[in-house]
Amino acid sequence: MKQSKQENLIYLAVWGLLFASPLLSLYVRTVSDPDLLFDWTEVLGVWRLFVPFLLLFLVHNFLLAPQLVYRNKRVAYFSIMAVIIVAFTLYQCTSRPKAGEHRDHRPPMEQRDRHEPPPFDKQHRPPRAEHRPGMPPPIVGERDILAVVVLILMFGANLGIKGYFRNREDRKRLAELEHKNLEQQLEYLRYQINPHFFMNTLNNIHALVDIDPEQAKDTIVELSKMMRFVLYEGNKQGVPLSRELDFISHYVTLMQLRYTEKVKITLDLPSEVPDRQIPPLILITFIENAFKHGVSYQHESFIEIKVEISHPSPLTPHLCFTCRNSKIEVPTNSPEGEKSGGVGLANVRKRLDLLYDSNYTLRIHDDADVYSVELTLPLKL
């Protein structure tokens, strides 16, 4: 996995501050004490202590972590890390000044600056552990233990930062996959809705051709308007609410041409429609289902369709859709006798779940004589 620019910038900033710290410290001291000279040997000495940590960090960051940790080779990773820590400990022990060596390489007293404080006398030195005569010095000192702890913490921090950025990339990739999957599912559902809708409409036109040719012509005109909407608007994520309501009006007008006065059809649409978006063909499925299962040629029946705009909050208006129809009994072997709420209602439920998650309410009441649907959903900009 390729490192992100942000991750590299974090490492560059941390190491830059670390290597700049001795420069800043010496600069502050020289400013506070004008007689103190800026000594580069002190800075280089601190940098020499940082170099092994930097080299091990580069090996861990660009080689061990990507090749072993990201590929779940934990045994190899911890084995190599153990070898590195042991080797680093040995390096720390061997790089210490040997017994008898003097760390203070300052010039004699007569050559020192008069403002430089003299060294402590032996009786004023802070107490420290001294080796007994004949006893060898300890193999691992306090500095060595501290350096190993710092090295382990550095590796742990490197893994933590890498884990954070890797988790963020995984979440980003997962969101992209979910978005693509959502688009594919919605496209699949739309492709299922459109043939289902046109199949019912063409059946209506076929029935009118022999009964009333003039009504059939009017039906074809209404159908052309509906096809224009489906072809040019049906593949979008959202369409203006006014377009969707016009589509419903054309559909109801087409269906009214087919039925007699025994079927009472009422359509109540709002006079003022907000400039909001709605998923295309999301309401027509319920209306199709009402005409499919709620109309009888022998008995009086009814279909009531109502759309209202509510304002539960000033910023987000809601659409309230209600569709009620009478229930009729049809033969089970009839094409219209399939189970109520088949492919169409199942698809519209999936679309609502994908588009609105839990931010909508759908209530279906299947009573003995009346079948009703109540849908409330927020209108998007």
Side-chain angles (χ1 to χ4, degrees), residues 58-117:
L58 295 176
V59 172
H60 182 270
N61 182 68
F62 293 103
L63 184 62
L64 297 182
Q67 298 296 326
L68 300 180
V69 177
Y70 285 173
R71 298 182 180 181
N72 293 324
K73 298 181 179 179
R74 298 180 181 179
V75 176
Y77 172 77
F78 286 109
S79 300
I80 295 176
M81 291 301 300
V83 173
I84 290 177
I85 292 174
V86 171
F88 179 80
T89 306
L90 294 177
Y91 167 78
Q92 285 292 119
C93 295
T94 56
S95 63
R96 284 184 301 168
K98 297 180 181 180
E101 290 186 357
H102 199 281
R103 291 178 177 268
D104 191 3
H105 299 288
R106 294 179 298 178
M109 177 63 72
E110 61 272 9
Q111 299 180 8
R112 295 179 190 165
D113 191 277
R114 59 181 180 177
H115 295 281
E116 185 177 357

Side-chain angles (χ1 to χ4, degrees), residues 67-305:
Q67 298 296 326
L68 300 180
V69 177
Y70 285 173
R71 298 182 180 181
N72 293 324
K73 298 181 179 179
R74 298 180 181 179
V75 176
Y77 172 77
F78 286 109
S79 300
I80 295 176
M81 291 301 300
V83 173
I84 290 177
I85 292 174
V86 171
F88 179 80
T89 306
L90 294 177
Y91 167 78
Q92 285 292 119
C93 295
T94 56
S95 63
R96 284 184 301 168
K98 297 180 181 180
E101 290 186 357
H102 199 281
R103 291 178 177 268
D104 191 3
H105 299 288
R106 294 179 298 178
M109 177 63 72
E110 61 272 9
Q111 299 180 8
R112 295 179 190 165
D113 191 277
R114 59 181 180 177
H115 295 281
E116 185 177 357
F120 288 115
D121 295 333
K122 290 185 178 181
Q123 63 271 19
H124 295 99
R125 290 178 181 175
R128 63 178 181 180
E130 297 184 354
H131 306 294
R132 296 180 181 180
M135 294 292 293
I139 299 177
V140 181
E142 295 180 2
R143 285 184 53 198
D144 306 326
I145 297 176
L146 181 61
V148 172
V149 171
V150 170
L151 180 68
I152 295 175
L153 293 177
M154 182 186 70
F155 289 153
N158 186 212
L159 289 178
I161 295 175
K162 281 189 169 297
Y164 167 77
F165 282 98
R166 186 182 184 185
N167 186 38
R168 192 181 69 169
E169 291 296 325
D170 291 341
R171 291 199 306 269
K172 182 178 178 181
R173 191 181 301 107
L174 181 60
E176 292 177 355
L177 292 175
E178 290 179 348
H179 180 69
K180 291 180 180 179
N181 184 44
L182 172 63
E183 291 181 346
Q184 292 176 354
Q185 291 186 53
L186 292 175
E187 193 69 22
Y188 171 74
L189 294 176
R190 282 196 294 265
Y191 283 147
Q192 280 192 320
I193 290 173
N194 294 347
H196 183 256
F197 163 75
F198 282 115
M199 178 184 66
N200 293 337
T201 306
L202 291 174
N203 287 336
N204 294 338
I205 296 176
H206 179 266
L208 286 174
V209 168
D210 296 331
I211 300 174
D212 192 339
E214 292 300 325
Q215 284 190 352
K217 292 179 182 179
D218 295 336
T219 303
I220 293 174
V221 173
E222 294 295 329
L223 177 62
S224 66
K225 297 177 182 179
M226 297 163 61
M227 288 183 64
R228 187 179 298 109
F229 177 84
V230 172
L231 291 175
Y232 294 103
E233 307 289 345
N235 60 344
K236 298 180 180 179
Q237 292 291 336
V239 296
L241 178 60
S242 58
R243 295 272 190 92
E244 181 75 10
L245 297 183
D246 288 341
F247 178 80
I248 293 175
S249 179
H250 292 314
Y251 179 84
V252 173
T253 300
L254 185 150
M255 300 302 291
Q256 283 176 328
L257 296 175
R258 179 179 179 182
Y259 300 113
T260 63
E261 296 180 353
K262 289 186 177 181
V263 181
K264 184 179 179 181
I265 302 174
T266 59
L267 177 62
D268 185 5
L269 300 179
S271 57
E272 295 184 2
V273 179
D275 187 15
R276 297 284 176 146
Q277 299 281 319
I278 188 173
L281 306 174
I282 200 72
L283 305 177
I284 194 64
T285 304
F286 302 110
I287 301 175
E288 277 189 287
N289 188 67
F291 280 99
K292 183 177 180 181
H293 300 282
V295 174
S296 172
Y297 292 99
Q298 290 80 22
H299 307 283
E300 292 186 356
S301 53
F302 71 92
I303 295 176
E304 298 175 355
I305 303 167

